[in-house]
Amino acid sequence: MTGLLITDKPVFIWKVKDMKKLVQASLLACLSLSCALATAASVSDTTVTTITKNLKANLPDLVIDKVESTPIAGVYEIDSGRKVFYVDGSGNYALIGNLLDLTTKTSLTEQRSNDLNQIDWKKLPTDLAITRVKGNGKSKIAIFTDPDCPFCKRLEAETTSKLKDVTIYYYLFPLAIHANAADDSKRILCAENPESSMIAFMAHGKSLGKNNTCDNGKKLVKMQEIGSNLVQVTGTPTIVLPNGKIISGLVPADALSRMIDQNQAESSESAVIPAANKK
């Protein structure tokens, strides 16, 4: 296979030990774009050890799940949860870019990203979720949502309200940046009808009940564990399609409907489990 590292901007190469903060910021930018690429031959134990040692020395908070080779000699893929970035054989230099195979005119980055951004639907504990059935409910999606997230509220008001024949499994995932989100999540779970309470609050601006301590409220911790470990939610809303493919952000109703239809053919039985279950 012939490969070439191409970006829409100049390729940046940094010396990690000399420019630690710049590298870390750049890697985070790459991770937010779900950069990834196809793997090639196996990597020697010595190379893996060297890369891992130097990356952990310079970026101690980085989770390294796997080191893989790429079609480019001397360039290695680092799997970190569902995210990927590239380094040289020493692990002291980082490359950020999109890998294209010019012979086949395909993006290996896109292919790898699609594989990594997918889970096994069967691993979702749907009995834990707040369930909403629209129409005959034949299609199934999961949504990880923060009740105080503006984009999550828009998703309910502008998108899910227009979906037809779908069962939606909601997992509350309050973010730390929203001071009241955890408490509001518990109030939703402790409502007499959590589904109605959540939709009324998020889509229509209604007030929540005062009760935030109940047995059902204990589900919140488990919902957050599923979001963090299995789906690896980094922002809300995060949507899991019928075949386990993960979509992040606000999606218009017509676009989401097409995604649901397009991702029906591959049933949950063939969904791909991500390379790792932790950030």
Side-chain angles (χ1 to χ4, degrees), residues 22 39 44 46 63 76 136 138 143 204 210 222 260:
L22 182 57
T39 59
S44 71
T46 300
V63 175
Y76 299 88
N136 62 28
K138 65 178 181 179
I143 298 177
H204 307 295
K210 295 182 179 180
K222 294 180 180 180
I260 292 172

Side-chain angles (χ1 to χ4, degrees), residues 125-138:
T126 53
D127 58 331
L128 180 69
I130 296 174
T131 304
R132 183 184 185 189
V133 180
K134 297 178 66 65
N136 62 28
K138 65 178 181 179

